[in-house]
Amino acid sequence: MTTVSVIEKPAVALVDVCAVSDLIINSGVCALIDERQVAIFAIQTPSSEKKEATLSVYALSNWDPIGKANVMYRGLLGSMHQQPMICSPLYKQHYSLLTGQCFEDESVHLDVYECVIADDKVWISVA
């Protein structure tokens, strides 16, 4: 039996999804949370002032609304319009990791989920 830890906050419940060490830097992984496939991306950015790198983690729907498949975690990471983005592996649409908005089609977006790193764990809310 698997036990899931939950942090309760006033408006949101965060679910303990995985350890930070389970993430693949500058790539994506997929997790099933409350019957939803969630694509999780870890981007490491070098710091110019310090020798340490900064880790940013993003969580979005794994469902590609144009390709009609759960594949977003396999997409290519990059930046567009000064925002981190994911490129769909199917038809190559680009989506903001911050907002989920498709850059090519304003009517299309991915759901974005709150993502927190605490105690070397990744916590996500799909509420």
Side-chain angles (χ1 to χ4, degrees), residues 58-77:
Y58 304 92
L60 296 96
S61 171
N62 194 44
W63 179 253
D64 181 341
I66 294 175
K68 306 282 190 234
N70 284 304
V71 296
M72 293 308 295
Y73 83 98
R74 295 180 180 206
L76 298 174
L77 291 167

Side-chain angles (χ1 to χ4, degrees), residues 13-28:
L14 296 171
V15 178
D16 175 4
V17 176
C18 64
V20 173
S21 61
D22 293 331
L23 300 176
I24 301 171
I25 303 301
N26 298 326
S27 189

Side-chain angles (χ1 to χ4, degrees), residues 27-49:
S27 189
V29 297
C30 185
L32 186 63
I33 306 170
D34 293 338
E35 298 184 27
R36 294 183 202 177
Q37 287 194 29
V38 176
I40 306 167
F41 303 98
I43 299 177
Q44 196 165 42
T45 308
S47 174
S48 59
E49 296 176 13

Side-chain angles (χ1 to χ4, degrees), residues 34-104:
D34 293 338
E35 298 184 27
R36 294 183 202 177
Q37 287 194 29
V38 176
I40 306 167
F41 303 98
I43 299 177
Q44 196 165 42
T45 308
S47 174
S48 59
E49 296 176 13
K50 302 176 185 176
K51 303 243 177 190
E52 299 174 14
T54 302
L55 182 67
S56 299
V57 179
Y58 304 92
L60 296 96
S61 171
N62 194 44
W63 179 253
D64 181 341
I66 294 175
K68 306 282 190 234
N70 284 304
V71 296
M72 293 308 295
Y73 83 98
R74 295 180 180 206
L76 298 174
L77 291 167
S79 63
M80 189 174 230
H81 304 292
Q82 300 177 341
Q83 293 183 50
M85 67 85 191
I86 183 69
C87 177
S88 167
L90 296 179
Y91 295 110
K92 311 305 183 225
Q93 287 78 19
H94 303 87
Y95 298 87
S96 167
L97 290 176
L98 302 174
T99 66
Q101 185 62 53
C102 177
F103 290 112
E104 288 82 15

